[in-house]
Each structure stands twice: as structure tokens, then as C-alpha cells.
Amino acid sequence: MAADKSKKVESRPSVKRVVVNKGAWTAEEDKRLADYIHSHGPKKWKTVAVRAGLNRCGKSCRLRWLNYLRPNIKRGNISREEEDLILRLHKLLGNRWSLIAGRLPGRTDNEIKNYWNSHLSKKVNRQITTKYMEFPAPPVPVPVPVPVAPAPPQNEIRGHDDLAAKGDINGASGSDITFDVTDLFDFSSEPTFGFDWVNKFLQLDDDPSN
DNA sequence: AAGCAGTTCAACCGCTTTGCC
DNA sequence: GGGCAAAGCGGTTGAACTGCT
């Protein structure tokens, strides 16, 4: 990020004229924040912002530290294995970016969210489209008695994949498109790149006794 | 070369949750 | 238990970058 996107904004202008920096962080600000946190630790972000001499709100400092300055951060070059893991975890967890990031050492929720929105969501949509194209003429639906599985509580239905599980992949109710979307996310025949715990996790998830 | 459209990603915003008094 | 502040989270924004015409 070569250009300076920073701007100054007056917070609560009608109350007290406090000018805080917004936008891109400068190298100087990064250094101040990192130095302060190395000696005092990452807590009380409001205090961090003031004591480190940064014209920033605490939230901004926290975000900068977590997403950029924190040690052991990996940036860019998301590997095939990581991508696979993100897809699996997203299937399992939906848009719970912090939980997904927690399973990917060195990756941040923001990075994963961005990666999902710019790469993976399109990939998944393409898969869905391709899969659907394999069934251009769905047969006339015949009501078949099906063993009724207990429906999940309504308030547990969250995110794209929950909708997918309901056969309502785009959240567009009233669609008469019916197909087994869960097939699209069946990774059971694919390698797991050593993420054994994922298999266990997914097995648990698939186990009807749970 | 210029202009436009699409993509990427850092950062912000607003809401929720958690912890403390 | 209520109120407040801090922390955490996911969605959204907007500037820079890239590719296409």
C-alpha cells in the first residue's frame, strides 16, 4: 500500500473536537503501536492508543495489531491445503471467520473473509452452477414419503451453507429448484492434506447420533 | 495511451458479547 | 440485576491495483 489513504475525522464533532486519524496506517504509527504492545501487552486498546501517542481509536489499534502487526502472521499465498481447509470449515461453520481463522495458524479472520469473498465464494458458486447444469431437466417432483429428520431450530440456521442444507442455496425462498446441494460439498473422496482433525471433526458432524 | 470495469484488501462501522463494578 | 466499558465479530466501504477494450 504505497499511497496514503489516511484522512482525519472529527469524532463526535458536536461534543468535543477530537481529531483522530483514519485510513491507512503509516510505518511510524505501526512502529509506535508495536513498540508499545511489546512492552505493555495488547490490552486496554483505548489506553494503548493514547499512551502510544496515536491519534487513533482503540478499535483501529486492535485491528491493526491483530491483522497486521501481530507476530507469526502469514500474509498472502494461501496454499491449496489452506484453501481446502477453509472450504471445509466454511461448510461446517458458515461465516464464522474468527473460528475458521482459529484453525489456520497465522491467518486472520479478515484475511480469510476477504479471501472467501474474492476467491472462494465465486469458486463455490461456479461449482453449484456446474453441478446444476448436469441436471438440466429435473424430473417432475413426486411426493415420496421420507423419514422426517428433526428440523434444526430456526435460530440456528445461519449463513450460506445452512441455506444450502435447506435446499435454498441463494436464500431465495419460493424457488422450485430442488437438488441435493450437500453433494457439492462432499469431500469424502478427496485427500485432506494432513488435516486429520478436520476429518474427525467432520465425522463427528456427520454422525447422526450427535 | 486512455478510459472504464472488475478485483483486491486494509480499514471502518455497527452490533453483540463479555467482564467488571 | 443493571449499567457501563472493553473486546470481539461479521458486514461493508473505498482506494489502489489490474486487465480489458
Short mmCIF file of all heavy atoms in Angstrom, two decimals, chain A residues 22-23 25 56 59-60 63-64 75 110 114 118 122, chain B residues 6-17 20:
data_model
loop_
_atom_site.label_atom_id
_atom_site.label_comp_id
_atom_site.label_asym_id
_atom_site.label_seq_id
_atom_site.Cartn_x
_atom_site.Cartn_y
_atom_site.Cartn_z
N LYS A 22 -7.80 8.41 10.44
CA LYS A 22 -8.48 7.25 9.88
C LYS A 22 -7.76 6.88 8.60
O LYS A 22 -6.96 7.63 8.09
CB LYS A 22 -9.95 7.57 9.60
CG LYS A 22 -10.73 7.86 10.85
CD LYS A 22 -12.19 8.08 10.56
CE LYS A 22 -12.95 6.80 10.69
NZ LYS A 22 -14.40 7.01 10.63
N GLY A 23 -8.07 5.70 8.11
CA GLY A 23 -7.44 5.27 6.87
C GLY A 23 -6.14 4.53 7.10
O GLY A 23 -5.91 4.01 8.20
N TRP A 25 -2.56 3.03 7.78
CA TRP A 25 -1.56 3.27 8.81
C TRP A 25 -0.20 3.58 8.19
O TRP A 25 0.18 2.99 7.18
CB TRP A 25 -1.44 2.04 9.70
CG TRP A 25 -2.52 1.94 10.72
CD1 TRP A 25 -3.86 1.76 10.47
CD2 TRP A 25 -2.38 2.03 12.13
NE1 TRP A 25 -4.55 1.72 11.65
CE2 TRP A 25 -3.67 1.88 12.69
CE3 TRP A 25 -1.30 2.21 12.99
CZ2 TRP A 25 -3.90 1.91 14.06
CZ3 TRP A 25 -1.52 2.23 14.35
CH2 TRP A 25 -2.80 2.10 14.87
N ARG A 56 -5.56 7.56 17.09
CA ARG A 56 -6.40 6.52 16.55
C ARG A 56 -7.35 6.07 17.65
O ARG A 56 -7.06 6.21 18.83
CB ARG A 56 -5.57 5.31 16.14
CG ARG A 56 -4.59 5.56 15.01
CD ARG A 56 -5.26 5.31 13.68
NE ARG A 56 -4.35 5.55 12.57
CZ ARG A 56 -4.70 5.36 11.30
NH1 ARG A 56 -5.91 4.93 10.99
NH2 ARG A 56 -3.86 5.62 10.33
N LYS A 59 -10.20 0.71 18.76
CA LYS A 59 -10.61 -0.34 17.84
C LYS A 59 -9.65 -0.45 16.66
O LYS A 59 -9.31 -1.54 16.21
CB LYS A 59 -12.00 -0.01 17.28
CG LYS A 59 -13.12 -0.53 18.08
CD LYS A 59 -14.42 -0.10 17.44
CE LYS A 59 -15.32 -1.26 17.20
NZ LYS A 59 -16.65 -0.85 16.72
N SER A 60 -9.28 0.71 16.15
CA SER A 60 -8.39 0.73 15.00
C SER A 60 -7.04 0.12 15.35
O SER A 60 -6.46 -0.63 14.57
CB SER A 60 -8.22 2.18 14.53
OG SER A 60 -7.38 2.24 13.41
N LEU A 63 -7.36 -3.70 15.64
CA LEU A 63 -7.45 -4.31 14.32
C LEU A 63 -6.08 -4.34 13.62
O LEU A 63 -5.70 -5.34 13.01
CB LEU A 63 -8.44 -3.51 13.48
CG LEU A 63 -9.13 -4.28 12.37
CD1 LEU A 63 -10.07 -5.32 12.96
CD2 LEU A 63 -9.91 -3.33 11.48
N ARG A 64 -5.37 -3.24 13.74
CA ARG A 64 -4.07 -3.16 13.09
C ARG A 64 -3.12 -4.21 13.68
O ARG A 64 -2.36 -4.85 12.96
CB ARG A 64 -3.49 -1.77 13.27
CG ARG A 64 -2.17 -1.54 12.55
CD ARG A 64 -2.33 -1.65 11.06
NE ARG A 64 -1.10 -1.37 10.34
CZ ARG A 64 -0.92 -1.58 9.04
NH1 ARG A 64 -1.90 -2.05 8.30
NH2 ARG A 64 0.24 -1.31 8.47
N ARG A 75 1.06 -13.78 5.53
CA ARG A 75 0.30 -12.88 4.65
C ARG A 75 0.36 -13.37 3.21
O ARG A 75 1.42 -13.69 2.70
CB ARG A 75 0.84 -11.46 4.76
CG ARG A 75 0.74 -10.90 6.16
CD ARG A 75 1.17 -9.45 6.20
NE ARG A 75 0.32 -8.63 5.37
CZ ARG A 75 -0.92 -8.29 5.68
NH1 ARG A 75 -1.46 -8.70 6.81
NH2 ARG A 75 -1.63 -7.54 4.87
N ASN A 110 -9.94 -11.51 9.08
CA ASN A 110 -10.13 -10.54 7.99
C ASN A 110 -9.58 -11.09 6.68
O ASN A 110 -10.21 -10.97 5.63
CB ASN A 110 -9.44 -9.22 8.35
CG ASN A 110 -10.11 -8.02 7.69
OD1 ASN A 110 -11.31 -8.03 7.43
ND2 ASN A 110 -9.33 -7.00 7.43
N ASN A 114 -11.81 -11.93 3.43
CA ASN A 114 -11.52 -11.33 2.13
C ASN A 114 -11.26 -12.40 1.07
O ASN A 114 -11.73 -12.30 -0.06
CB ASN A 114 -10.31 -10.41 2.22
CG ASN A 114 -10.65 -9.07 2.85
OD1 ASN A 114 -11.78 -8.61 2.76
ND2 ASN A 114 -9.69 -8.45 3.48
N SER A 118 -13.46 -12.89 -2.25
CA SER A 118 -12.91 -12.58 -3.56
C SER A 118 -12.55 -13.83 -4.37
O SER A 118 -12.50 -13.76 -5.59
CB SER A 118 -11.68 -11.68 -3.44
OG SER A 118 -10.72 -12.27 -2.63
N LYS A 122 -16.84 -17.33 -5.29
CA LYS A 122 -17.07 -17.48 -6.74
C LYS A 122 -16.87 -18.94 -7.16
O LYS A 122 -17.62 -19.48 -7.94
CB LYS A 122 -16.11 -16.60 -7.51
CG LYS A 122 -16.44 -15.13 -7.41
CD LYS A 122 -15.34 -14.31 -8.03
CE LYS A 122 -15.39 -12.89 -7.52
NZ LYS A 122 -14.12 -12.21 -7.70
P DG B 6 -18.19 -4.43 -14.56
OP1 DG B 6 -19.12 -5.40 -15.16
OP2 DG B 6 -18.66 -3.42 -13.60
"O5'" DG B 6 -17.00 -5.25 -13.88
"C5'" DG B 6 -16.14 -6.04 -14.70
"C4'" DG B 6 -15.02 -6.61 -13.87
"O4'" DG B 6 -14.08 -5.56 -13.54
"C3'" DG B 6 -15.47 -7.22 -12.54
"O3'" DG B 6 -14.80 -8.46 -12.38
"C2'" DG B 6 -15.04 -6.18 -11.49
"C1'" DG B 6 -13.81 -5.56 -12.16
N9 DG B 6 -13.51 -4.19 -11.77
C8 DG B 6 -14.38 -3.12 -11.77
N7 DG B 6 -13.81 -2.00 -11.38
C5 DG B 6 -12.49 -2.36 -11.12
C6 DG B 6 -11.41 -1.58 -10.67
O6 DG B 6 -11.39 -0.36 -10.40
N1 DG B 6 -10.25 -2.33 -10.52
C2 DG B 6 -10.15 -3.67 -10.80
N2 DG B 6 -8.95 -4.25 -10.61
N3 DG B 6 -11.16 -4.42 -11.22
C4 DG B 6 -12.30 -3.70 -11.36
P DT B 7 -14.97 -9.29 -11.07
OP1 DT B 7 -14.90 -10.73 -11.44
OP2 DT B 7 -16.12 -8.77 -10.29
"O5'" DT B 7 -13.64 -8.94 -10.25
"C5'" DT B 7 -12.38 -9.12 -10.89
"C4'" DT B 7 -11.26 -8.86 -9.90
"O4'" DT B 7 -11.15 -7.43 -9.66
"C3'" DT B 7 -11.43 -9.53 -8.53
"O3'" DT B 7 -10.23 -10.20 -8.24
"C2'" DT B 7 -11.71 -8.35 -7.58
"C1'" DT B 7 -11.00 -7.20 -8.27
N1 DT B 7 -11.53 -5.83 -8.02
C2 DT B 7 -10.67 -4.86 -7.57
O2 DT B 7 -9.48 -5.06 -7.36
N3 DT B 7 -11.23 -3.62 -7.39
C4 DT B 7 -12.56 -3.28 -7.61
O4 DT B 7 -12.95 -2.13 -7.42
C5 DT B 7 -13.41 -4.34 -8.08
C7 DT B 7 -14.85 -4.07 -8.34
C6 DT B 7 -12.86 -5.55 -8.26
P DT B 8 -10.12 -11.10 -6.95
OP1 DT B 8 -9.25 -12.25 -7.28
OP2 DT B 8 -11.45 -11.31 -6.36
"O5'" DT B 8 -9.30 -10.15 -5.97
"C5'" DT B 8 -8.09 -9.57 -6.46
"C4'" DT B 8 -7.53 -8.63 -5.41
"O4'" DT B 8 -8.30 -7.41 -5.39
"C3'" DT B 8 -7.56 -9.18 -3.97
"O3'" DT B 8 -6.25 -9.11 -3.46
"C2'" DT B 8 -8.53 -8.25 -3.23
"C1'" DT B 8 -8.48 -6.98 -4.06
N1 DT B 8 -9.70 -6.13 -4.07
C2 DT B 8 -9.56 -4.77 -3.84
O2 DT B 8 -8.49 -4.25 -3.59
N3 DT B 8 -10.73 -4.06 -3.90
C4 DT B 8 -11.99 -4.55 -4.19
O4 DT B 8 -12.97 -3.80 -4.22
C5 DT B 8 -12.06 -5.97 -4.42
C7 DT B 8 -13.37 -6.60 -4.73
C6 DT B 8 -10.92 -6.68 -4.36
P DC B 9 -5.83 -9.86 -2.17
OP1 DC B 9 -4.40 -10.21 -2.28
OP2 DC B 9 -6.84 -10.89 -1.88
"O5'" DC B 9 -5.97 -8.71 -1.07
"C5'" DC B 9 -5.19 -7.53 -1.23
"C4'" DC B 9 -5.62 -6.50 -0.20
"O4'" DC B 9 -6.90 -5.95 -0.56
"C3'" DC B 9 -5.79 -7.06 1.22
"O3'" DC B 9 -5.31 -6.08 2.12
"C2'" DC B 9 -7.29 -7.19 1.36
"C1'" DC B 9 -7.74 -5.96 0.59
N1 DC B 9 -9.14 -5.94 0.12
C2 DC B 9 -9.77 -4.71 -0.07
O2 DC B 9 -9.13 -3.68 0.15
N3 DC B 9 -11.06 -4.68 -0.48
C4 DC B 9 -11.72 -5.82 -0.71
N4 DC B 9 -12.98 -5.74 -1.11
C5 DC B 9 -11.08 -7.09 -0.53
C6 DC B 9 -9.80 -7.11 -0.11
P DA B 10 -4.45 -6.53 3.34
OP1 DA B 10 -3.11 -6.90 2.88
OP2 DA B 10 -5.25 -7.47 4.15
"O5'" DA B 10 -4.35 -5.15 4.11
"C5'" DA B 10 -3.94 -4.00 3.39
"C4'" DA B 10 -4.70 -2.78 3.89
"O4'" DA B 10 -6.07 -2.83 3.44
"C3'" DA B 10 -4.75 -2.65 5.41
"O3'" DA B 10 -4.53 -1.28 5.73
"C2'" DA B 10 -6.16 -3.10 5.78
"C1'" DA B 10 -6.96 -2.72 4.53
N9 DA B 10 -8.11 -3.58 4.22
C8 DA B 10 -8.15 -4.94 4.24
N7 DA B 10 -9.31 -5.44 3.88
C5 DA B 10 -10.08 -4.33 3.59
C6 DA B 10 -11.41 -4.18 3.15
N6 DA B 10 -12.23 -5.20 2.92
N1 DA B 10 -11.86 -2.93 2.96
C2 DA B 10 -11.04 -1.90 3.19
N3 DA B 10 -9.77 -1.91 3.61
C4 DA B 10 -9.35 -3.17 3.78
P DA B 11 -4.40 -0.83 7.20
OP1 DA B 11 -3.49 0.32 7.22
OP2 DA B 11 -4.15 -2.02 8.06
"O5'" DA B 11 -5.87 -0.31 7.53
"C5'" DA B 11 -6.41 0.74 6.73
"C4'" DA B 11 -7.86 0.92 7.06
"O4'" DA B 11 -8.60 -0.21 6.57
"C3'" DA B 11 -8.20 1.02 8.55
"O3'" DA B 11 -8.70 2.33 8.80
"C2'" DA B 11 -9.23 -0.08 8.79
"C1'" DA B 11 -9.73 -0.39 7.39
N9 DA B 11 -10.19 -1.76 7.19
C8 DA B 11 -9.53 -2.92 7.45
N7 DA B 11 -10.20 -4.00 7.17
C5 DA B 11 -11.40 -3.52 6.69
C6 DA B 11 -12.56 -4.16 6.22
N6 DA B 11 -12.70 -5.48 6.15
N1 DA B 11 -13.59 -3.37 5.81
C2 DA B 11 -13.45 -2.05 5.88
N3 DA B 11 -12.42 -1.33 6.29
C4 DA B 11 -11.41 -2.14 6.70
P DC B 12 -9.23 2.76 10.21
OP1 DC B 12 -8.83 4.17 10.40
OP2 DC B 12 -8.91 1.75 11.22
"O5'" DC B 12 -10.81 2.72 9.96
"C5'" DC B 12 -11.35 3.39 8.82
"C4'" DC B 12 -12.85 3.17 8.76
"O4'" DC B 12 -13.12 1.80 8.40
"C3'" DC B 12 -13.57 3.44 10.07
"O3'" DC B 12 -14.71 4.26 9.80
"C2'" DC B 12 -13.95 2.06 10.57
"C1'" DC B 12 -14.07 1.25 9.29
N1 DC B 12 -13.75 -0.20 9.44
C2 DC B 12 -14.68 -1.15 9.02
O2 DC B 12 -15.75 -0.79 8.54
N3 DC B 12 -14.38 -2.47 9.16
C4 DC B 12 -13.20 -2.82 9.68
N4 DC B 12 -12.94 -4.12 9.80
C5 DC B 12 -12.24 -1.86 10.11
C6 DC B 12 -12.55 -0.57 9.97
P DC B 13 -15.64 4.78 10.95
OP1 DC B 13 -16.16 6.10 10.54
OP2 DC B 13 -14.94 4.61 12.24
"O5'" DC B 13 -16.84 3.72 10.92
"C5'" DC B 13 -17.55 3.52 9.69
"C4'" DC B 13 -18.74 2.62 9.95
"O4'" DC B 13 -18.31 1.24 10.03
"C3'" DC B 13 -19.47 2.93 11.26
"O3'" DC B 13 -20.86 2.98 11.01
"C2'" DC B 13 -19.09 1.79 12.19
"C1'" DC B 13 -18.77 0.64 11.22
N1 DC B 13 -17.71 -0.30 11.67
C2 DC B 13 -17.94 -1.68 11.58
O2 DC B 13 -19.01 -2.09 11.16
N3 DC B 13 -16.95 -2.53 11.97
C4 DC B 13 -15.79 -2.05 12.42
N4 DC B 13 -14.85 -2.91 12.78
C5 DC B 13 -15.54 -0.64 12.51
C6 DC B 13 -16.53 0.19 12.12
P DG B 14 -21.83 3.62 12.13
OP1 DG B 14 -22.82 4.47 11.45
OP2 DG B 14 -21.02 4.15 13.27
"O5'" DG B 14 -22.56 2.30 12.65
"C5'" DG B 14 -23.11 1.40 11.69
"C4'" DG B 14 -23.48 0.10 12.37
"O4'" DG B 14 -22.28 -0.67 12.63
"C3'" DG B 14 -24.18 0.27 13.72
"O3'" DG B 14 -25.20 -0.70 13.79
"C2'" DG B 14 -23.06 -0.01 14.74
"C1'" DG B 14 -22.27 -1.07 13.98
N9 DG B 14 -20.87 -1.21 14.39
C8 DG B 14 -20.00 -0.23 14.76
N7 DG B 14 -18.80 -0.67 15.07
C5 DG B 14 -18.90 -2.04 14.89
C6 DG B 14 -17.93 -3.06 15.08
O6 DG B 14 -16.76 -2.94 15.44
N1 DG B 14 -18.45 -4.32 14.79
C2 DG B 14 -19.74 -4.56 14.37
N2 DG B 14 -20.07 -5.84 14.15
N3 DG B 14 -20.65 -3.62 14.20
C4 DG B 14 -20.17 -2.39 14.47
P DC B 15 -26.35 -0.57 14.86
OP1 DC B 15 -27.59 -0.34 14.09
OP2 DC B 15 -25.96 0.35 15.96
"O5'" DC B 15 -26.40 -2.04 15.44
"C5'" DC B 15 -26.31 -3.15 14.55
"C4'" DC B 15 -25.68 -4.31 15.26
"O4'" DC B 15 -24.26 -4.07 15.43
"C3'" DC B 15 -26.25 -4.58 16.66
"O3'" DC B 15 -26.86 -5.86 16.67
"C2'" DC B 15 -25.04 -4.52 17.59
"C1'" DC B 15 -23.85 -4.67 16.65
N1 DC B 15 -22.62 -3.98 17.09
C2 DC B 15 -21.46 -4.74 17.34
O2 DC B 15 -21.51 -5.97 17.17
N3 DC B 15 -20.34 -4.12 17.76
C4 DC B 15 -20.34 -2.80 17.92
N4 DC B 15 -19.20 -2.23 18.33
C5 DC B 15 -21.50 -2.01 17.66
C6 DC B 15 -22.61 -2.63 17.25
P DT B 16 -27.53 -6.39 18.01
OP1 DT B 16 -28.65 -7.25 17.59
OP2 DT B 16 -27.73 -5.27 18.96
"O5'" DT B 16 -26.39 -7.33 18.61
"C5'" DT B 16 -25.77 -8.31 17.77
"C4'" DT B 16 -24.73 -9.08 18.56
"O4'" DT B 16 -23.59 -8.24 18.81
"C3'" DT B 16 -25.22 -9.58 19.92
"O3'" DT B 16 -24.84 -10.95 20.03
"C2'" DT B 16 -24.48 -8.69 20.93
"C1'" DT B 16 -23.21 -8.32 20.16
N1 DT B 16 -22.59 -7.00 20.51
C2 DT B 16 -21.27 -6.97 20.85
O2 DT B 16 -20.57 -7.97 20.91
N3 DT B 16 -20.78 -5.72 21.13
C4 DT B 16 -21.47 -4.53 21.09
O4 DT B 16 -20.91 -3.46 21.35
C5 DT B 16 -22.87 -4.64 20.72
C7 DT B 16 -23.70 -3.40 20.66
C6 DT B 16 -23.35 -5.85 20.45
P DT B 17 -25.23 -11.77 21.35
OP1 DT B 17 -25.54 -13.15 20.89
OP2 DT B 17 -26.21 -11.01 22.17
"O5'" DT B 17 -23.85 -11.83 22.15
"C5'" DT B 17 -22.68 -12.23 21.44
"C4'" DT B 17 -21.46 -12.08 22.35
"O4'" DT B 17 -21.13 -10.69 22.53
"C3'" DT B 17 -21.65 -12.67 23.76
"O3'" DT B 17 -20.54 -13.51 24.01
"C2'" DT B 17 -21.71 -11.45 24.67
"C1'" DT B 17 -20.87 -10.44 23.90
N1 DT B 17 -21.16 -9.00 24.11
C2 DT B 17 -20.11 -8.16 24.41
O2 DT B 17 -18.96 -8.54 24.54
N3 DT B 17 -20.45 -6.84 24.56
C4 DT B 17 -21.71 -6.29 24.43
O4 DT B 17 -21.88 -5.07 24.58
C5 DT B 17 -22.77 -7.21 24.11
C7 DT B 17 -24.16 -6.73 23.95
C6 DT B 17 -22.44 -8.51 23.97
P DC B 20 -13.23 -9.77 34.82
OP1 DC B 20 -11.77 -10.01 34.78
OP2 DC B 20 -14.14 -10.77 35.42
"O5'" DC B 20 -13.47 -8.37 35.55
"C5'" DC B 20 -13.17 -7.15 34.87
"C4'" DC B 20 -14.01 -6.03 35.42
"O4'" DC B 20 -15.35 -6.11 34.89
"C3'" DC B 20 -14.16 -6.04 36.95
"O3'" DC B 20 -13.65 -4.82 37.47
"C2'" DC B 20 -15.65 -6.18 37.19
"C1'" DC B 20 -16.25 -5.68 35.89
N1 DC B 20 -17.59 -6.23 35.54
C2 DC B 20 -18.65 -5.35 35.30
O2 DC B 20 -18.44 -4.13 35.36
N3 DC B 20 -19.87 -5.86 34.99
C4 DC B 20 -20.04 -7.18 34.92
N4 DC B 20 -21.26 -7.64 34.61
C5 DC B 20 -18.98 -8.10 35.17
C6 DC B 20 -17.78 -7.58 35.47
#
